[in-house]
Amino acid sequence: MKIYTKTGDDGTTGLYGGTRVPKYHLRIESYGTVDELNSWVGLIKDQDIADSSKETLLLIQDKLFTIGALLAIDPKKEKLKNGKDRLQIAKITTADIEVLEQEIDQMETVLPPMTHFVLPGGHTTVSYCHIARTICRRAERLVTELHAMEPLDPSLLSYLNRLSDFLFVLARKLTYDLGAEEIKWIPEKKDQ
């Protein structure tokens, strides 16, 4: 398979099922942002962190590819003429969301309670987590907007929502593991 097809030279791209849409289409923006997020998750995974975290991040990357694939299908062409799904891959399930929740709960057992908002930073790896978290929130906003126009499986929204929580807690956990400083945001008091 050639990497370039030249079919997108006119500013359109093909959805799974053959429909051509503009490259700025909300569906493309949605799965493109999920792809961007997946790249940042890969960067976090490539850092000097615990193997258990790397394994979880690899699992997350797999789920993000699934979400991207599901977003890349024209909803009018999801089903084949025989009634089967066009895309023969596992969907995002409640169990996938529960994995993130379990990981969050486990990480929080060693973390001090939060008393303030936390400023992103303190260590490069922690900063990567915060960048991924904000991209995840953007992906969630885009997918939510798409869902309002063309209803999607609600599990996609739940997974992205929980994933941003996971990335925030992972940033805190890596701050702890790396001995970095967690900088609290303490707003200046307004002059009276």
Side-chain angles (χ1 to χ4, degrees):
M1 179 171 98
K2 282 185 125 176
I3 195 68
Y4 60 91
T5 62
K6 301 183 183 181
T7 57
D9 290 353
D10 64 353
T12 66
T13 192
L15 297 176
Y16 196 63
T19 305
R20 303 289 301 174
V21 296
K23 290 185 178 185
Y24 59 80
H25 190 282
L26 182 58
R27 186 170 287 279
I28 308 308
E29 192 68 34
S30 295
Y31 74 70
T33 304
V34 169
D35 187 35
E36 180 183 357
L37 170 60
N38 205 338
S39 296
W40 280 98
V41 170
L43 183 61
I44 299 164
K45 185 185 80 216
D46 290 343
Q47 303 306 300
D48 187 16
I49 60 175
D51 287 343
S52 59
S53 293
K54 289 182 181 204
E55 290 168 16
T56 301
L57 291 168
L58 183 60
L59 179 65
I60 288 168
Q61 285 190 289
D62 177 74
K63 298 306 173 190
L64 289 173
F65 250 89
T66 298
I67 291 171
L70 294 170
L71 291 171
I73 299 174
D74 179 346
K76 296 177 189 88
K77 296 183 178 181
E78 276 181 0
K79 299 285 184 185
L80 299 169
K81 289 179 183 176
N82 63 11
K84 290 186 179 181
D85 288 341
R86 178 174 297 278
L87 193 58
Q88 296 292 310
I89 61 172
K91 307 284 194 258
I92 298 298
T93 65
T94 302
D96 297 324
I97 297 161
E98 288 171 353
V99 166
L100 294 175
E101 291 170 351
Q102 291 163 6
E103 290 292 325
I104 290 168
D105 292 344
Q106 183 178 359
M107 287 186 289
E108 285 188 325
T109 63
V110 299
L111 295 174
M114 275 191 59
T115 57
H116 293 81
F117 286 105
V118 177
L119 295 177
H123 189 282
T124 303
T125 303
V126 173
S127 295
Y128 292 156
C129 286
H130 283 292
I131 292 169
R133 172 186 57 79
T134 61
I135 294 168
C136 187
R137 287 288 189 206
R138 178 166 27 103
E140 182 184 10
R141 290 190 301 272
L142 291 166
V143 172
T144 300
E145 184 180 358
L146 181 62
H147 178 65
M149 295 170 42
E150 301 172 345
L152 302 165
D153 178 350
S155 297
L156 304 182
L157 299 172
S158 297
Y159 190 86
L160 291 171
N161 186 36
R162 209 69 78 254
L163 179 56
S164 64
D165 296 334
F166 167 85
L167 290 166
F168 177 76
V169 176
L170 180 61
R172 291 196 72 219
K173 176 71 165 64
L174 292 176
T175 297
Y176 176 84
D177 290 349
L178 296 164
E181 181 183 0
E182 186 170 77
I183 304 167
K184 296 175 182 175
W185 178 61
I186 303 171
E188 290 182 36
K189 298 291 183 197
K190 183 178 163 183
D191 290 337
Q192 298 293 342

